[in-house]
Every structure is written in C-alpha cells, then in structure tokens.
Amino acid sequence: MDQERADQNFTATSAVEADRVVVTVTGEVDMSTADAMFETGTRDGRPAATIDLRAVSFFDSAAIQALLRLAEHYGDRLTVLPSPQVHRVLEISGLSTQPWLSD
C-alpha cells in the first residue's frame, strides 16, 4: 500500500514478511508526511518492523518524533535502515547509538 501526501516525492509502502512488516520510505519525511510513515509502520498489526529509510533525502524533527513513536511501539523488535542524511540527523540528535539503528 502506498501512502502519498501533498509531497509527491514521499512514499511509504509496506510489505509483510512472516511476523514483520517492512516499510520502505522514499523522499522527504517532514511534518506533512511523518504521520503517514508511522501509520504505514503500525497498521498491519505485526509484532516486529523494519523501517527502510535508505531512500530518504530529508528527515526533520517531526520525522524523528514518528521514529521514536515506532521505537516505543515495537521496542527491541524494530530495525531502522538509515540513509546517510537520516543517519546524520540522528547523530546530531544524539540517537545514533540506539539499538534499533542499523549500519
């Protein structure tokens, strides 16, 4: 399923793999799209998630908030695959050592 908002560069698609939802996000995650990322990551009711942000070009504080909500929702069953831009934002925010952040 695609979640597209006013920003035509943003997409969040999900696929279920066994007990895990895999969410692939592209484009810019900001205050107008962050909720869509969160909703896509939680709507399938799976106990684990992988959030693939490797194609994300912009990530702001609203995106960080949505990511932290996903971390709270999934706990140690969350894996986040960051783009270099996302990794840099998380590093600046002091979140680069979180156990859910993959290299």
Side-chain angles (χ1 to χ4, degrees):
M1 261 187 233
D2 283 339
Q3 289 292 323
E4 294 191 44
R5 301 290 188 201
D7 180 351
Q8 295 300 316
N9 294 319
F10 172 83
T11 63
T13 59
S14 65
V16 175
E17 297 177 4
D19 67 345
R20 175 173 292 271
V21 61
V22 178
V23 178
T24 303
V25 182
T26 65
E28 298 183 359
V29 187
D30 58 23
M31 65 185 291
S32 68
T33 59
D35 283 340
M37 180 181 74
F38 178 81
E39 291 165 10
T40 302
T42 56
R43 76 167 152 243
D44 289 315
R46 301 297 178 187
T50 297
I51 310 299
D52 185 346
L53 303 174
R54 293 177 289 187
V56 170
S57 57
F58 180 81
F59 205 74
D60 73 0
S61 61
I64 292 170
Q65 170 94 16
L67 190 57
L68 291 174
R69 288 172 48 211
L70 286 165
E72 184 177 305
H73 181 83
Y74 287 108
D76 64 355
R77 297 160 295 146
L78 176 67
T79 301
V80 175
L81 308 172
S83 68
Q85 294 87 340
V86 171
H87 194 274
R88 181 69 178 137
V89 169
L90 295 176
E91 188 174 67
I92 291 168
S93 302
L95 297 170
S96 63
T97 60
Q98 293 299 308
W100 39 259
L101 187 62
S102 181
D103 289 332

